[in-house]
Amino acid sequence: TTRGFLHSHSYTGNPLACRAALATLDLFASDNVLAENARKSAVLRAALEPLRAHPHVRHLRQCGTLFAFDVAIDERQAARTFSRRFFDHALQRELLLRPIGTTVYLMPPYILSDDELAWLAARTRDTLDATLADEVH
């Protein structure tokens, strides 16, 4: 132990990670974090609701603050490349979204304001439309 680096990244308790965890616990003690997250989740759910009417969106769903929807694409080849194309279009719109196959996931940070949640929903719709338009060309 005299030559070991005991505060490493493994099971020895990284001090920075421990301090971050304690700060998080302090926030839970001082703020009503769960209630605020539930409120923000409802705001995003309302902002994403228009996606239900989109002709290519299927099964818009949520679990807590995680949202997902499936994108119906006719061509098998387009479906294989959808994830990469959607990701690229999202980055062009300042979004970091996680499409897997033809399912789009949104996992927003808890610090977003209501206006930013509305912006996220609008940009997600724009990204979907741009990706589908790109498929046609």
Side-chain angles (χ1 to χ4, degrees):
T1 60
T2 59
R3 299 175 76 187
F5 183 58
L6 298 181
H7 294 288
S8 67
H9 63 281
S10 63
Y11 304 104
T12 58
N14 181 299
L16 181 58
C18 290
R19 187 61 208 126
L22 290 172
T24 299
L25 291 174
D26 288 345
L27 285 175
F28 272 80
S30 65
D31 299 343
N32 199 347
V33 173
L34 296 179
E36 181 60 12
N37 286 352
R39 188 194 68 75
K40 288 182 178 187
S41 182
V43 168
L44 185 54
R45 181 177 52 249
L48 289 171
E49 192 60 31
L51 275 176
R52 285 192 196 282
H54 194 286
H56 292 277
V57 171
R58 305 288 184 272
H59 195 216
L60 176 63
R61 58 206 180 270
Q62 112 182 65
C63 183
T65 57
L66 187 145
F67 291 80
F69 60 90
D70 303 316
V71 180
I73 300 176
D74 293 332
E75 289 184 44
R76 184 169 281 174
Q77 180 62 29
R80 276 191 281 241
T81 63
F82 174 83
S83 180
R84 183 77 227 171
R85 291 181 296 113
F86 187 93
F87 179 81
D88 291 342
H89 282 285
L91 283 180
Q92 293 170 12
R93 288 161 181 76
E94 304 176 70
L95 297 178
L96 186 58
L97 297 178
R98 184 174 191 231
I100 299 175
T102 56
T103 301
V104 176
Y105 294 88
L106 292 89
M107 298 171 273
Y110 299 143
I111 61 168
L112 295 185
S113 68
D114 291 0
D115 288 342
E116 290 167 327
L117 291 170
W119 179 88
L120 170 61
R123 291 277 175 110
T124 299
R125 169 69 187 249
D126 293 346
T127 299
L128 176 60
D129 289 338
T131 305
L132 293 172
D134 183 42
E135 173 187 326
V136 173
H137 297 104

